[in-house]
């Protein structure tokens, strides 16, 4: 039965893969894999692969179950996953084919790299105004001189090109917004009900209950996992998505920035940057930290001395200084070798990747120290001694006795570090040594807002949008990290 | 004046957990009279400590709460007192000592300050007066040179000293009742004897009452006036010491006595109590001991036994005491297992011959890690062990017995000396050459919780050694062998897919034994394999080890500090003191006619449930540091019979009989 189930999953998976490949080939675009894209997909593969490996290991699954059983953590997980979904959509890049030129059969591709998310957000992406406009505004933020039909010049707030352009009468704005809001809410509710119905049907099949019984169990909160909370959070997320999209097409929900770009689009694009920094940095530092930390603790002696020497030295250099120096070198290198990068996006991506790298190199010491201490403790434990007494080879002792028993520390650190790194990006970009200025990121948005805040009246919406999105991500990550730490920390059990 | 100091009525403390309500204390009633010592006896997990914490209202809230009952101290109910008054009771009228002296003291505060805090708080003394009182207290608990100790930090004191300081803190408030929660469990027998004696003496001086919580029948026999036996949250028997030790009534108490290893039970199987203490989350519909009781019948399952108070003061909670059922016999008989006497001739050739084994650990100091000295953990040890025999290595903690085990296994490479196993000197082999020999010598550790990898299943744990040693053959043969091994150690083959955390301490120790047996060893080094277990479980493991020795002809090097286990199991005994063997011989010779003053003191310090024939002999002081062993005989600073020569030279071994030797100038 299990084999059959596995086969079914396998067939499903390979089928999906096949469809994806066919779609990818048939669409007339040139697919672009940026460095960070490649790493993100590698990371996803690793996560799915380890999920596949631990599916039959109860002791590895049990702590995750404990995490999911906490209502707050599972709600945070839904929020995190929706961020991840946006980030992933934003990580599939391509260049569109330009309309064929007359007399040439060669296909030329656009110099702009787009992502699937860009494509989905097309109306919002291309609806660019002239300059600043407030959220839901119909007019520009500042007065401009315009010529009337009768030839007189007046200074007035010109109508926006897109925001509320469909309105005949500007008095209708309020009713239009309310109407759209209601429509969006009912659509999202409908979609949510369909999705919930599907989920409940699957669960009812699995527990072989009638549909009605399953609904009752769920509503009363009698499920093992807090499905009620999960579904309600999902409703909130879907509500937001529908409202933002349906209003976003008609208005600038978060206003526009200096060059008239929609701020909602910017913050959504910033999600990928934040996630990349938060995850890839830890991914890069992980091998250093795990190998060096465990080696130092387990082998002791001169190996320990050397590794300790390295990380003590590295720790004593101010991190910001090291990052600034490295980023500046990278900047100079990119500027000196323009032929290496075909598009602007590739250049910005290279800098992002490099930022992750240097953040990783400066931040592995903390985890390394923790792992060294743990390995020092483990090597003296009786079961390791017993393995020695059996003549078990060193590499086997490391892989089956030491490594599995430090895994929880790695995981806890990983999740705890995530939100710190997202915030670090904002700070570094603010200082001017973060990601490329052309790249959408919360740090850049906040940096730009520095000047906007000084205007009179104040332009507050860029900062607020960046703040809200970053705040929700970091809060969800922290709540989730807390639950992970509680579930995996052996001292907190029993 | 009322004679009863503390009266506990139907006390209930429950814990809300994820697996239901744990009734840690479920209707406990007893009373303590002024000046008497009341012992609460029971296995781990029976709610003894929780009872004590409930008396002091120190139950960890909100997980636990006192649900019902009353605790009357001189007629005042402590459970209804407001918190600020309770603070005056704690440490004031009721003092408390905990088990672990290492963690009960604040490591960054001077010892004197810690006692003074309590003195200032409860006696209202200040400055000079308070310090003077602290010095008095330090003196009273037998700490030499109080003036100097006052300014020391806890890490500068030894374990026994710390426990004395804890006692001093408890005494600072001049309590009427002292609650001592396993006060000597973490200490060595000689130190335990000192501390127990001190407590008895203080009690005589101050007239305070004492509630002693312990699992050790021996300690109870030494100091208690009255005894209550706790089982699964309830008191099942309560009696005066004389009644309890001469005529235990409850089947559980009887079994406890029967499962104590003892020299008189050599050659027989120890009685065991089946299974283990039921989880306290169980809803009991009958007697809590029913599942493990030899006398149980269906009434025990269905009806809760009542408390029977006899005129003599003896109380029992058992259906056997009901008038109608009086005198019912045993309903469960243990499998009568013929104890096969050893018929195999013991070959003369020793399987293990250790000559002059020394393990010294260098002490590094300074920037360049220069070697500034050595810890002489093992300092010249000779051992001969024949196949099928058990040699017990006895000594206090810190004397180097565990290091001997690891040195023989080459887990720690010896500094000097030979370890000949079947005439091959293991110390001369490289790690690679050693690997095929590893299967022949195996080790069982003390702590069953740290000796199994929590991330591996039992089958993988047992298989690990077989794979490393290339034993067990194909995969299916391997699995078959694992099943056999599990059955051999009294587990069932279904257990092999489980993880260690699903087992109790005793079961884990069985898994450890199965793991060791998997590679077909000839010698097993047992490093205190039962000291972390309860008495009833200890009996199971000892029986198993004995059975395996008879079936497989194994040789054991049994490292222990527990003399009763030695009496029961060992053929030969070697007594270690500070890295050297001071006396060695056949078990009867050494235990019945101990010659070395240290052996004599060690034996007399062991608390015994029988009236001791041995004359009481108390050692002063503690084990010296193995970094700077005393000049001459290592034992001379503590020896009651010290002579001039002892301070100059280390005595050679003197052969008393063919098998018995001692290293002491008294017999030169």
């Amino acid at each position: 039965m299990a084999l059959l189930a596995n086969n079914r999953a396998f067939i499903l998976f390979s089928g999906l893969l096949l469809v994806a490949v066919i779609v990818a080939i048939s669409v007339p675009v040139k697919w672009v894999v940026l460095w960070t894209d490649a790493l993100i997909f590698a990371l996803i593969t690793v996560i799915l692969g380890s999920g596949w490996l631990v599916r039959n290991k109860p002791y590895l699954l049990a702590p995750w179950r404990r995490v999911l059983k906490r209502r707050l953590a599972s709600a945070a997980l839904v929020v995190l996953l929706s961020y991840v979904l946006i980030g992933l959509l934003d990580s599939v890049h391509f260049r569109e084919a330009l309309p064929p030129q007359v007399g040439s059969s060669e296909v030329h591709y656009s110099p702009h790299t787009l992502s699937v998310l860009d494509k989905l957000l097309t109306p919002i992406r291309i609806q660019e105004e002239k300059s600043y406009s407030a959220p839901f505004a119909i007019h520009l933020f500042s007065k401009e001189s315009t010529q009337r039909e009768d030839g007189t010049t007046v200074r007035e707030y010109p109508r926006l090109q897109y925001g509320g352009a469909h309105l005949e009468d500007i008095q209708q704005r309020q009713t239009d917004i309310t109407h759209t809001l209601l429509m969006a809410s009912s659509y999202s509710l409908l979609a949510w009900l369909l999705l919930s119905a599907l989920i409940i049907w699957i669960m009812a099949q699995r527990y072989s209950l009638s549909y009605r019984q399953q609904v009752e169990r769920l509503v009363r909160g009698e499920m093992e996992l807090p499905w009620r909370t999960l579904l309600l959070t999902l409703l909130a997320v879907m509500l937001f998505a529908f409202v933002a999209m349906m209003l976003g097409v008609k208005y600038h929900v978060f206003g526009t920035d200096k060059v008239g770009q929609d701020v909602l689009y910017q913050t959504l694009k910033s999600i990928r940057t934040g996630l990349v920094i938060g995850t890839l940095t830890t991914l890069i530092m992980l091998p250093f930290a795990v190998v060096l930390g465990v080696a130092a603790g387990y082998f002791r002696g001169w190996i320990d001395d050397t590794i300790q020497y390295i990380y003590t030295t590295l720790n004593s250099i101010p991190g910001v200084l090291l990052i600034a120096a490295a980023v500046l070198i990278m900047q100079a290198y990119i500027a000196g070798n323009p032929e290496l990068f075909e598009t602007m996006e590739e250049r910005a991506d290279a800098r992002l990747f490099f930022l992750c790298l240097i953040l990783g190199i400066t931040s592995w010491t903390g985890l390394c120290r923790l792992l060294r201490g743990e390995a020092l403790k483990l090597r003296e434990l009786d079961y390791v001694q017993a393995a020695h007494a059996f003549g078990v080879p060193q590499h086997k002792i490391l892989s089956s006795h030491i490594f599995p028993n430090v895994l929880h520390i790695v995981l806890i650190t990983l999740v705890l570090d995530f939100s710190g790194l997202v915030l670090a990006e904002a700070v570094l970009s603010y200082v001017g040594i973060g990601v490329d200025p052309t790249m959408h990121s919360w740090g850049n948005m906040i940096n730009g807002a520095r000047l906007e805040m000084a205007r009179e009246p104040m332009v507050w919406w860029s900062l607020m949008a960046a703040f809200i999105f970053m705040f929700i991500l970091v809060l969800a990550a922290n709540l989730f990290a807390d639950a992970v730490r509680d579930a995996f920390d052996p001292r907190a059990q029993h | 004046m009322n004679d009863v100091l503390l009266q506990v009525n139907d006390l209930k403390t429950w814990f809300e957990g994820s697996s239901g309500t744990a009734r840690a204390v479920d209707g406990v009633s007893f009373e303590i009279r002024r000046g008497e010592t009341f012992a609460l006896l029971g296995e781990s997990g029976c709610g003894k400590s929780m009872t004590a914490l409930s008396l002091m209202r120190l139950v960890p809230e909100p997980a636990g709460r006192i649900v019902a009952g009353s605790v009357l101290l001189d007629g005042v109910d402590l459970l209804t007192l407001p918190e600020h008054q309770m603070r005056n009771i704690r440490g004031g009228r009721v003092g408390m000592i905990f088990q672990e002296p290492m963690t009960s003291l604040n490591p960054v505060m001077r010892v004197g300050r810690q006692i003074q805090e309590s003195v200032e708080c409860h006696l209202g003394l200040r400055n000079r007066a308070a310090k003077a009182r602290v010095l008095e207290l330090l003196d009273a608990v037998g700490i030499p040179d109080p003036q100097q100790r006052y300014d020391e930090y806890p890490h500068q004191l030894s374990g026994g000293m710390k426990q004395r300081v804890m006692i001093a803190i408890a005494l600072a408030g001049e309590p009427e009742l002292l609650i001592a929660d396993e006060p000597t469990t973490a200490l060595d027998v000689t130190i335990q004897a000192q501390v127990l004696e001190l407590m008895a003496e203080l009690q005589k001086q101050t007239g305070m009452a004492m509630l002693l919580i312990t699992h050790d029948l021996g300690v109870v026999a030494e100091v208690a006036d009255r005894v209550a036996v706790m089982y699964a949250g309830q008191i099942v028997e309560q009696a005066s010491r004389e009644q309890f030790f001469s005529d235990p009534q409850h089947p559980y108490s009887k079994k406890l006595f029967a499962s104590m290893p003892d020299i008189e039970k050599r050659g027989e199987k120890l009685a065991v109590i089946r299974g283990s203490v039921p989880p306290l989350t169980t809803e009991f519909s009958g007697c809590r001991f029913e599942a493990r009781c030899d006398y149980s019948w269906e009434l025990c399952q269905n009806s809760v036994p009542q408390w029977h108070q006899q005129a003599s003061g003896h109380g029992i909670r058992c259906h056997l005491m009901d008038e109608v059922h009086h005198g019912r016999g045993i309903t469960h008989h243990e499998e009568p297992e013929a104890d096969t006497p050893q018929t195999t001739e013991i070959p003369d050739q020793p399987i293990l011959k250790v000559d002059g084994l020394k393990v010294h650990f260098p002490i590094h100091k300074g920037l360049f890690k220069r070697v500034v000295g050595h810890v002489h953990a093992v300092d010249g040890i000779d051992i001969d062990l024949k196949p099928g025999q058990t040699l017990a290595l006895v000594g206090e903690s810190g004397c180097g017995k565990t290091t001997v085990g690891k040195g023989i296994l080459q887990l720690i490479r010896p500094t000097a000396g030979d370890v000949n196993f079947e005439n091959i000197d293991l110390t001369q082999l490289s790690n690679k050459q050693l690997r095929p020999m590893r299967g022949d010598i195996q080790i069982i550790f003390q702590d069953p919780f740290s000796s199994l990898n929590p991330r591996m299943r039992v089958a993988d744990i047992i298989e690990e050694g077989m794979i490393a040693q290339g034993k067990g053959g194909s995969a299916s043969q391997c699995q078959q062998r694992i099943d056999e091994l599990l059955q051999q150690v009294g587990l069932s083959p279904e257990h092999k897919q489980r993880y260690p955390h699903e087992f109790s301490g005793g079961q884990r120790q069985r898994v450890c034994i199965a793991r060791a047996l998997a590679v077909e060893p000839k010698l097993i080094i047992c490093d205190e394999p039962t000291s972390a277990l309860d008495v009833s479980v200890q009996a199971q493991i000892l029986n198993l080890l004995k059975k395996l020795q008879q079936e497989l002809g194994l040789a054991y090097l049994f490292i222990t500090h527990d003399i009763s286990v030695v009496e029961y199991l060992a053929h030969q005994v070697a007594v270690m003191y500070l890295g050297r063997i001071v006396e060695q011989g056949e078990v009867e010779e050494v235990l019945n006619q101990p010659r070395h003053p240290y052996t004599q003191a060690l034996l007399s310090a062991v608390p015994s449930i029988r009236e001791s024939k041995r004359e009481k002999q108390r050692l002063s002081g503690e084990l010296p540091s193995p970094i700077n062993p005393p000049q001459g005989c290592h034992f001379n600073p503590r020896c009651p019979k010290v002579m001039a020569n002892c301070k100059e030279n280390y005595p050679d071994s003197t052969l008393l009989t063919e098998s018995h030797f001692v290293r002491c100038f008294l017999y030169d």
Side-chain angles (χ1 to χ4, degrees), chain A residues 257-270:
Chain A
D257 73 343
K258 194 174 178 182
V259 293
Q261 201 172 36
D262 193 285
V263 174
L264 174 67
Y265 172 70
Q266 283 183 346
T267 53
L268 288 177
K269 287 287 281 181
S270 302

mmCIF file of all heavy atoms in Angstrom, chain A residues 257-270:
data_model
loop_
_atom_site.group_PDB
_atom_site.id
_atom_site.type_symbol
_atom_site.label_atom_id
_atom_site.label_comp_id
_atom_site.label_asym_id
_atom_site.label_seq_id
_atom_site.Cartn_x
_atom_site.Cartn_y
_atom_site.Cartn_z
ATOM 1 N N ASP A 257 5.726 56.188 -6.361
ATOM 2 C CA ASP A 257 6.948 56.813 -5.847
ATOM 3 C C ASP A 257 7.375 57.962 -6.759
ATOM 4 O O ASP A 257 6.618 58.431 -7.609
ATOM 5 C CB ASP A 257 8.042 55.770 -5.691
ATOM 6 C CG ASP A 257 8.597 55.322 -7.019
ATOM 7 O OD1 ASP A 257 7.929 55.576 -8.043
ATOM 8 O OD2 ASP A 257 9.685 54.729 -7.038
ATOM 9 N N LYS A 258 8.602 58.393 -6.606
ATOM 10 C CA LYS A 258 9.089 59.587 -7.258
ATOM 11 C C LYS A 258 8.947 59.503 -8.781
ATOM 12 O O LYS A 258 8.570 60.465 -9.439
ATOM 13 C CB LYS A 258 10.549 59.793 -6.892
ATOM 14 C CG LYS A 258 11.077 61.156 -7.219
ATOM 15 C CD LYS A 258 12.488 61.297 -6.686
ATOM 16 C CE LYS A 258 13.034 62.662 -7.064
ATOM 17 N NZ LYS A 258 14.409 62.808 -6.610
ATOM 18 N N VAL A 259 9.276 58.324 -9.335
ATOM 19 C CA VAL A 259 9.202 58.189 -10.781
ATOM 20 C C VAL A 259 7.848 57.626 -11.216
ATOM 21 O O VAL A 259 7.676 57.230 -12.360
ATOM 22 C CB VAL A 259 10.338 57.302 -11.331
ATOM 23 C CG1 VAL A 259 11.663 57.985 -11.130
ATOM 24 C CG2 VAL A 259 10.306 55.945 -10.676
ATOM 25 N N GLY A 260 6.918 57.588 -10.287
ATOM 26 C CA GLY A 260 5.561 57.206 -10.650
ATOM 27 C C GLY A 260 5.298 55.712 -10.641
ATOM 28 O O GLY A 260 4.258 55.256 -11.093
ATOM 29 N N GLN A 261 6.231 54.928 -10.114
ATOM 30 C CA GLN A 261 6.019 53.478 -10.086
ATOM 31 C C GLN A 261 5.113 53.092 -8.908
ATOM 32 O O GLN A 261 5.192 53.712 -7.841
ATOM 33 C CB GLN A 261 7.349 52.763 -9.971
ATOM 34 C CG GLN A 261 7.271 51.327 -10.441
ATOM 35 C CD GLN A 261 8.639 50.715 -10.505
ATOM 36 O OE1 GLN A 261 9.483 51.001 -9.674
ATOM 37 N NE2 GLN A 261 8.865 49.878 -11.503
ATOM 38 N N ASP A 262 4.312 52.103 -9.123
ATOM 39 C CA ASP A 262 3.381 51.678 -8.085
ATOM 40 C C ASP A 262 4.141 51.098 -6.886
ATOM 41 O O ASP A 262 4.983 50.218 -7.047
ATOM 42 C CB ASP A 262 2.437 50.619 -8.661
ATOM 43 C CG ASP A 262 1.268 50.364 -7.759
ATOM 44 O OD1 ASP A 262 1.464 49.698 -6.717
ATOM 45 O OD2 ASP A 262 0.168 50.822 -8.078
ATOM 46 N N VAL A 263 3.808 51.559 -5.697
ATOM 47 C CA VAL A 263 4.542 51.128 -4.510
ATOM 48 C C VAL A 263 4.171 49.693 -4.125
ATOM 49 O O VAL A 263 5.015 48.924 -3.657
ATOM 50 C CB VAL A 263 4.307 52.097 -3.341
ATOM 51 C CG1 VAL A 263 4.939 51.582 -2.063
ATOM 52 C CG2 VAL A 263 4.865 53.460 -3.672
ATOM 53 N N LEU A 264 2.927 49.325 -4.373
ATOM 54 C CA LEU A 264 2.521 47.944 -4.082
ATOM 55 C C LEU A 264 3.381 46.971 -4.885
ATOM 56 O O LEU A 264 3.882 45.973 -4.361
ATOM 57 C CB LEU A 264 1.042 47.756 -4.433
ATOM 58 C CG LEU A 264 0.534 46.321 -4.301
ATOM 59 C CD1 LEU A 264 0.545 45.884 -2.851
ATOM 60 C CD2 LEU A 264 -0.869 46.177 -4.873
ATOM 61 N N TYR A 265 3.583 47.300 -6.160
ATOM 62 C CA TYR A 265 4.426 46.464 -7.011
ATOM 63 C C TYR A 265 5.848 46.389 -6.448
ATOM 64 O O TYR A 265 6.446 45.322 -6.361
ATOM 65 C CB TYR A 265 4.427 47.049 -8.432
ATOM 66 C CG TYR A 265 5.405 46.390 -9.361
ATOM 67 C CD1 TYR A 265 5.205 45.090 -9.795
ATOM 68 C CD2 TYR A 265 6.539 47.071 -9.793
ATOM 69 C CE1 TYR A 265 6.102 44.490 -10.645
ATOM 70 C CE2 TYR A 265 7.446 46.473 -10.642
ATOM 71 C CZ TYR A 265 7.227 45.179 -11.063
ATOM 72 O OH TYR A 265 8.127 44.566 -11.891
ATOM 73 N N GLN A 266 6.348 47.522 -5.998
ATOM 74 C CA GLN A 266 7.714 47.546 -5.444
ATOM 75 C C GLN A 266 7.835 46.647 -4.222
ATOM 76 O O GLN A 266 8.782 45.872 -4.095
ATOM 77 C CB GLN A 266 8.081 48.962 -5.038
ATOM 78 C CG GLN A 266 8.433 49.851 -6.205
ATOM 79 C CD GLN A 266 8.857 51.216 -5.739
ATOM 80 O OE1 GLN A 266 8.638 51.580 -4.586
ATOM 81 N NE2 GLN A 266 9.459 51.966 -6.648
ATOM 82 N N THR A 267 6.872 46.771 -3.307
ATOM 83 C CA THR A 267 6.999 45.971 -2.083
ATOM 84 C C THR A 267 6.868 44.489 -2.403
ATOM 85 O O THR A 267 7.566 43.671 -1.816
ATOM 86 C CB THR A 267 5.924 46.319 -1.040
ATOM 87 O OG1 THR A 267 4.665 46.240 -1.657
ATOM 88 C CG2 THR A 267 6.137 47.676 -0.473
ATOM 89 N N LEU A 268 5.987 44.157 -3.359
ATOM 90 C CA LEU A 268 5.858 42.742 -3.701
ATOM 91 C C LEU A 268 7.157 42.230 -4.312
ATOM 92 O O LEU A 268 7.590 41.112 -4.029
ATOM 93 C CB LEU A 268 4.690 42.535 -4.669
ATOM 94 C CG LEU A 268 3.301 42.686 -4.058
ATOM 95 C CD1 LEU A 268 2.234 42.541 -5.116
ATOM 96 C CD2 LEU A 268 3.078 41.650 -2.963
ATOM 97 N N LYS A 269 7.801 43.056 -5.122
ATOM 98 C CA LYS A 269 9.077 42.649 -5.711
ATOM 99 C C LYS A 269 10.172 42.557 -4.646
ATOM 100 O O LYS A 269 11.110 41.778 -4.765
ATOM 101 C CB LYS A 269 9.514 43.664 -6.781
ATOM 102 C CG LYS A 269 8.717 43.607 -8.061
ATOM 103 C CD LYS A 269 9.044 42.389 -8.873
ATOM 104 C CE LYS A 269 10.357 42.566 -9.638
ATOM 105 N NZ LYS A 269 10.646 41.370 -10.455
ATOM 106 N N SER A 270 10.028 43.364 -3.584
ATOM 107 C CA SER A 270 11.055 43.350 -2.533
ATOM 108 C C SER A 270 11.038 42.054 -1.739
ATOM 109 O O SER A 270 12.029 41.700 -1.110
ATOM 110 C CB SER A 270 10.828 44.507 -1.567
ATOM 111 O OG SER A 270 10.855 45.721 -2.262
#
